[in-house]
């Protein structure tokens, strides 16, 4: 509501239906020894449509990465 927006310091936001986000992702997995595996992932995710118009959104896109070791049972 306008009163809530004024109290919070953010603009009034009324979202509608639509896609929330889209992403492009690349993953790699390599067997090390025995049950151990190396895993790595990099992705770019971008907010779309009404989700990107929220007054709480500081950046519409973000890079995400992961590197680790996994154990398979």
């Amino acid at each position: 509501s306008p009163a809530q927006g004024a109290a919070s310091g953010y603009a009034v936001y009324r979202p509608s239906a639509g896609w929330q986000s889209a992403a492009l992702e690349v993953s790699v997995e390599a067997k090390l020894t025995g049950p151990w595996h190396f895993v790595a992932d990099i992705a770019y995710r971008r907010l779309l449509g009404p989700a990107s118009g929220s007054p709480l959104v500081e950046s519409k896109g973000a890079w995400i990465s992961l590197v680790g070791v996994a154990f398979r049972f």
Side-chain angles (χ1 to χ4, degrees), residues 1-13 54-56:
S1 74
Q4 291 171 323
S8 70
Y10 291 104
V12 175
Y13 176 63
S54 167
L56 300 178

Side-chain angles (χ1 to χ4, degrees), residues 1 5-6 8 10 15-16 19 22 29 36 40 44 48-49 52 62 67 71-72:
S1 74
S8 70
Y10 291 104
S16 58
W19 291 96
E29 181 176 346
W36 294 98
Y44 180 76
L48 303 172
S52 69
V67 175
F71 183 86
R72 291 217 176 183

Side-chain angles (χ1 to χ4, degrees), residues 19-32:
W19 291 96
Q20 179 184 11
S21 65
L24 179 62
E25 183 173 6
V26 176
S27 299
V28 174
E29 181 176 346
K31 186 171 181 170
L32 297 175

Side-chain angles (χ1 to χ4, degrees), residues 41-73:
D41 185 88
I42 188 164
Y44 180 76
R45 183 171 305 262
R46 182 166 176 85
L47 292 174
L48 303 172
S52 69
S54 167
L56 300 178
V57 172
E58 293 179 5
S59 175
K60 294 181 182 185
W63 285 97
I64 304 159
S65 62
L66 169 132
V67 175
V69 177
F71 183 86
R72 291 217 176 183
F73 295 89

